[in-house]
Each structure stands twice: as C-alpha cells, then as structure tokens.
Amino acid sequence: MLFKSVKVLVFICISSFLIHAQNKYQFAIDLINVQNDQIKVTLKTPKIETRKALYMLPSVVPGTYSKYDFGRYVENFKAFDKNGKELPVKRDGDNLFYIKKAKNLAKIEYYVNDTWDAPNNKPFVFQPGGSNIESGKNYALNSHCLFGYFDGLKTRPFEITINKPAEMYGSSPLKKKQVNTTQDILYADSYMRLADSPFMYCKPDTANFKV
C-alpha cells in the first residue's frame, strides 16, 4: 500500500512539473553571434489550447507616451512544431503574428533590430525606451523591444536564457541566475514585470578599494 502511495505521489510531482514547464515562456537570446545589429530570439512556447494563436509585440508601453510599434523591428518570424516542421504564420501590420495549427506549436524564432540606429526608426524611438546592439561592446536592451506574448497569456511566468560573451556582465532588476561564464537566466512573473525591466550587458567598468 505504501509503495503504491509513493508511486502516485511521484507521478503527481512529475505531472505538476511538466504542466508548469508547459505553462511558461522560455525565451533565449544570443549575444555572442550577432550580425548586422540583430539579436536572434528563440521561444519555447507555453502550451496553446486553440487552433490559432496570436503573438503580439507592444505598440505602446508605459512611460513612453508614444506609439512606437516595436514589432516593426522584428524580421524573419517563424513558428515550428515539436518535430521542427514550419507552421503557417500571417503577419498583420507591425506587431501581430497569427499562427495556424497552434495546438502543435512548440517553438518561435525571429530576429530583432537595433532601434538606436535603425534606418526605419520613424517615428523615432527615444533612446531610453529602445535598444542598442553593438556586437562585442554593449547591449542596452528594453525587454519590450525583444519579447512579446500570446493573446490571453500575458500573466504567465517568463524565463529568459541569455547566451553572452564570457567577458561581459549583465545588469537587470530581474532575478538573475548565473549558470556559467557564458550564460545567465532572468526570471519574471508576468509580461508586465518583464516589460518594465530593462537589462544591459557590457564589459564591466569597475573599481575596488580596501577598507
């Protein structure tokens, strides 16, 4: 009887872990292989229960007071199932991406351009609300420039894996875990918290003294 109870408890724990893993956004960005001032963004998607999913990037964010349409900096947006088969995607304007066969959706990937010196930066994005991408030098990044969310799933937790040059240090108000010298993970409990939390990676300019 005790053995059966233990088996049931283990099954419940494993099921709970799998459900939790399916219900969060698992983003990854690559700050090592950067070309043409573009960052590659990959998302292991939360479980989608509808036939069509709407992925959105913000048009306006609190504090900017302007309509910037951050999705206009996104290129080569693609969606895939768990076997790597590409799913149909229809872009609607700058910020909306409709994904068909969404119940099979497993991964999204796209590239994001720098806003500080983008040729299509009209309306102009005031620098503190945008992003600076200088390969090997500086990445000053507002989260709303890089990451979106699915319609109806704005309050799911977010996990951001950042692959970075070993000599760079990351600063962020988000909870951060340093996996090793070339990888950090940032955590946010919702998109609202994520969008309100910029981060920067660069070679640290530090000083020290003895007390």
Side-chain angles (χ1 to χ4, degrees):
M1 183 67 180
L2 179 60
F3 179 70
K4 287 185 178 180
S5 299
V6 171
K7 286 178 67 178
V8 170
L9 181 61
V10 170
F11 175 78
I12 292 172
C13 290
I14 293 174
S15 299
S16 177
F17 173 80
L18 292 175
I19 290 171
H20 178 74
Q22 287 182 320
N23 286 336
K24 66 181 177 181
Y25 294 84
Q26 294 176 278
F27 279 101
I29 61 173
D30 184 359
L31 303 183
I32 300 174
N33 303 298
V34 174
Q35 296 181 350
N36 301 320
D37 286 352
Q38 290 184 328
I39 289 176
K40 185 177 181 180
V41 178
T42 304
L43 168 61
K44 184 178 179 182
T45 63
K47 180 66 176 175
I48 304 296
E49 301 292 348
T50 56
R51 293 168 57 189
K52 181 189 291 186
L54 173 58
Y55 184 80
M56 301 183 285
L57 281 96
S59 175
V60 179
V61 293
T64 61
Y65 309 107
S66 297
K67 186 174 183 291
Y68 284 147
D69 292 327
F70 291 101
R72 62 194 163 108
Y73 298 99
V74 169
E75 296 182 4
N76 299 321
F77 186 100
K78 295 181 180 180
F80 303 91
D81 66 14
K82 64 180 181 180
N83 296 317
K85 182 181 178 181
E86 193 167 347
L87 300 176
V89 176
K90 180 182 179 181
R91 185 167 188 164
D92 184 3
D94 290 321
N95 308 307
L96 306 179
F97 299 85
Y98 290 93
I99 303 168
K100 296 181 180 180
K101 301 180 181 179
K103 288 186 177 181
N104 298 325
L105 181 62
K107 186 178 75 169
I108 288 172
E109 64 179 34
Y110 53 87
Y111 289 84
V112 177
N113 286 296
D114 184 336
T115 71
W116 283 22
D117 58 7
N120 65 336
N121 200 4
K122 293 181 181 180
F124 172 71
V125 176
F126 184 42
Q127 285 91 340
S131 58
N132 182 51
I133 302 171
E134 288 187 87
S135 180
K137 295 182 179 180
N138 174 270
Y139 302 99
L141 304 168
N142 273 284
S143 298
H144 53 256
C145 295
L146 296 173
F147 310 117
Y149 60 93
F150 288 103
D151 186 27
L153 302 180
K154 199 173 185 178
T155 59
R156 295 286 176 87
F158 286 74
E159 180 181 291
I160 317 295
T161 299
I162 300 172
N163 297 301
K164 67 179 187 70
E167 67 275 12
M168 285 192 171
Y169 177 79
S171 301
S172 172
L174 295 173
K175 179 183 176 182
K176 184 178 78 169
K177 175 184 177 181
Q178 183 177 356
V179 179
N180 52 51
T181 58
T182 60
Q183 191 175 88
D184 292 339
I185 301 177
L186 303 179
Y187 301 92
D189 57 10
S190 69
Y191 188 78
M192 292 76 78
R193 172 62 173 154
L194 179 66
D196 198 36
S197 303
F199 55 97
M200 182 173 74
Y201 277 80
C202 62
K203 294 179 181 179
D205 183 7
T206 59
N208 63 76
F209 59 93
K210 292 183 178 181
V211 177

